[in-house]
């Protein structure tokens, strides 16, 4: 893989939850209620602030360390099943995502902290999966999830593209941190339903996003005007 000198990115790597599908308001509520059920004294705002964009493995490690509550047998599977049921009833794609993916020229893939079953279910349910030609990568495929760079480096390697020729679309601080650690520039998306948009924009910029946007339909223009100085 050799870096290009062209202006436009060769590969766009999308996070899924909160970027392609508006799943975070659903999954954060389900996670909060299930954590409370096993005795963790935590509220929705804390869960959203600390765990958005983080894998369940990392979340439960933090819960054990910070609250002294070990993961009960079957808990993670129960949370996943509960979340998938809620998705079936409530999940929608981010407004404008399907139309943009239909026309965008750049190669694209998904790199998400979600487990493979949830990830594919969400993309299938919202009709977005065909836009990625099965180029869908989960944190379950690497040793360390976000905020470590492993997943983004794995995705770029599988797609045969150098990290510097990618741009990542992320909505969370762990995701932005992971992409920057992988040597990839990031556009921060704060149009999902789970963030107060002013806070999200400031948080994502502070974590290293090149810029933020809150309308998915702005993405083609951002990619069209991309240049090497943005990297």
């Amino acid at each position: 893989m050799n870096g290009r000198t062209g202006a436009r990115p060769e590969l766009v790597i999308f996070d899924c939850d909160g970027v392609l599908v508006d799943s975070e308001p659903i999954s954060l509520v389900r996670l909060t209620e299930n954590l409370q059920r096993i005795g963790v004294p935590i509220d929705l705002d804390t869960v959203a602030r600390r765990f958005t964009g983080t894998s369940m493995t990392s979340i439960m490690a933090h819960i054990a360390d910070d609250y002294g509550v070990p993961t009960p047998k079957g808990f993670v599977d129960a949370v996943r099943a509960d979340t998938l049921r809620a998705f079936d009833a409530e999940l929608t794609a981010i407004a404008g995502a399907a139309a943009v993916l239909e026309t965008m020229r750049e190669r694209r893939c998904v790199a998400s902290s979600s487990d493979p079953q949830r990830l594919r279910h969400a993309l299938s349910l919202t009709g977005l999966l065909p836009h990625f030609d099965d180029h869908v990568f989960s944190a379950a495929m690497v040793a360390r999830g976000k905020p470590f760079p492993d997943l983004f480096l794995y995705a770029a390697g599988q797609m045969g593209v150098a990290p510097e020729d990618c741009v990542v679309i992320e909505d969370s601080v762990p995701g932005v941190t992971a992409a920057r650690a992988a040597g990839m520039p990031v556009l921060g998306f704060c149009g999902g339903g789970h963030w107060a948009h002013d806070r999200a924009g400031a948080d994502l910029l502070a974590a290293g996003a090149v810029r933020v946007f809150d309308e998915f339909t702005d993405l083609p223009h951002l990619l069209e005007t991309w240049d090497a100085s943005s990297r």
Side-chain angles (χ1 to χ4, degrees), residues 32 61 90 108 118 131 137 156 159 188 190 206 223:
T32 301
E90 305 173 48
R108 81 294 300 260
R118 168 177 156 166
H131 293 293
F137 307 107
M159 299 296 290
C190 53
L223 295 176

Side-chain angles (χ1 to χ4, degrees), residues 10 16 36-37 39 73 87 91 132 150 165 170 195 215 224:
E10 183 177 347
C16 181
Q36 292 170 347
R37 177 174 58 81
K73 182 177 181 181
F87 280 6
L91 186 64
F132 293 96
D150 305 31
D165 291 330
E170 263 288 356
W195 286 111
E215 295 289 342
E224 186 69 36

Side-chain angles (χ1 to χ4, degrees), residues 31 35 38 40 50-51 54-72 75-76 148:
L31 176 59
L35 288 172
I38 63 170
V40 180
R50 295 192 59 191
F51 299 137
T54 307
S55 70
M56 279 296 291
T57 299
S58 296
I59 290 169
M60 297 316 298
H62 283 295
I63 292 298
D65 289 343
D66 297 345
Y67 295 93
V69 179
T71 306
F75 175 77
V76 171
F148 296 100

Side-chain angles (χ1 to χ4, degrees), residues 1-4 10-11 107 152-166 182 184:
M1 295 183 294
N2 296 314
R4 298 181 309 126
E10 183 177 347
L11 176 68
R107 296 176 65 202
F152 288 127
L153 292 173
Y154 178 79
Q158 291 296 302
M159 299 296 290
V161 179
E164 62 268 26
D165 291 330
C166 303
M184 301 177 185

Side-chain angles (χ1 to χ4, degrees), residues 84-201:
L84 291 181
R85 286 192 296 269
F87 280 6
D88 288 340
E90 305 173 48
L91 186 64
T92 60
I94 292 290
V100 168
L101 292 170
E102 186 70 37
T103 59
M104 69 179 289
R105 294 168 13 193
E106 289 80 9
R107 296 176 65 202
R108 81 294 300 260
C109 69
V110 176
S112 169
S113 293
S114 290
D115 67 273
Q117 179 187 8
R118 168 177 156 166
L119 181 54
R120 297 186 72 85
H121 184 75
L123 291 171
S124 296
L125 195 63
T126 54
L128 299 181
L129 185 60
H131 293 293
F132 293 96
D133 296 324
D134 287 333
H135 298 144
V136 177
F137 307 107
S138 163
M141 299 172 178
V142 296
R144 304 176 301 175
K146 304 170 188 179
F148 296 100
D150 305 31
L151 178 57
F152 288 127
L153 292 173
Y154 178 79
Q158 291 296 302
M159 299 296 290
V161 179
E164 62 268 26
D165 291 330
C166 303
V167 62
V168 173
I169 315 299
E170 263 288 356
D171 72 309
S172 73
V173 169
V176 174
T177 302
R180 298 303 297 139
M184 301 177 185
V186 190
L187 293 172
F189 180 70
C190 53
H194 59 297
W195 286 111
H197 291 177
D198 56 345
R199 192 185 83 195

Side-chain angles (χ1 to χ4, degrees), residues 193-213:
H194 59 297
W195 286 111
H197 291 177
D198 56 345
R199 192 185 83 195
D203 288 353
L204 299 178
L205 288 169
V210 173
R211 62 177 300 176
V212 297
F213 65 110

